[in-house]
Amino acid sequence: MANDGEGPSVRIGGISGSAFSIGGSGNTNTVHHGGTGASAPGAAELLEAVLELRAALVRLPRGEDRTGLDTELDEVAGELEEAGEVRPGMAARLRGALTRWAPLVESVSAATALGELLVSLGG
């Protein structure tokens, strides 16, 4: 907000991982930024979600789409087991896979759980 010389001026450069309230004259607006405040999931939690989705896919008909997603999930699970950490770009890769095969996984609750973890990772 620019200061026109007739009132107070406010400048907000950036806010990360916080909650704040803005208001005056009895009006208050609270904004929560950064989700629940919980830390990003670790490799073990992400691996568990990937394996749960992989297991849920077994109940779906086998096809080219499922084979592609199975392969991608297996690769990520292997990387998580080997490295024991979420490497840069991994969350974006998983998000891309879920987006690419959305029609296949949209009814699988394990895909929703994995998607929520990816949101908290920001990938």
Side-chain angles (χ1 to χ4, degrees):
M1 179 160 90
N3 187 353
D4 59 6
E6 296 206 15
S9 175
V10 176
R11 182 176 187 281
I12 301 173
I15 298 170
S16 176
S18 60
F20 58 94
S21 291
I22 302 171
S25 303
N27 298 319
T28 303
N29 302 299
T30 302
V31 179
H32 296 278
H33 181 73
T36 63
S39 61
E45 191 175 1
L46 189 58
L47 176 60
E48 182 180 341
V50 167
L51 294 176
E52 284 179 17
L53 176 56
R54 184 70 174 82
L57 290 176
V58 171
R59 294 185 286 274
L60 298 177
R62 193 91 170 136
E64 187 177 316
D65 287 349
R66 195 183 122 203
T67 300
L69 182 55
D70 285 346
T71 300
E72 200 137 2
L73 292 173
D74 288 344
E75 288 174 6
V76 168
E79 288 176 34
L80 286 167
E81 288 172 340
E82 182 181 313
E85 67 181 3
V86 179
R87 292 187 170 155
M90 185 179 288
R93 237 175 67 214
L94 278 171
R95 184 185 310 278
L98 291 178
T99 301
R100 199 168 30 261
W101 289 294
L104 179 67
V105 298
E106 67 188 0
S107 65
V108 179
S109 62
T112 303
L114 178 56
E116 289 172 359
L117 283 176
L118 294 174
V119 167
S120 67
L121 283 170

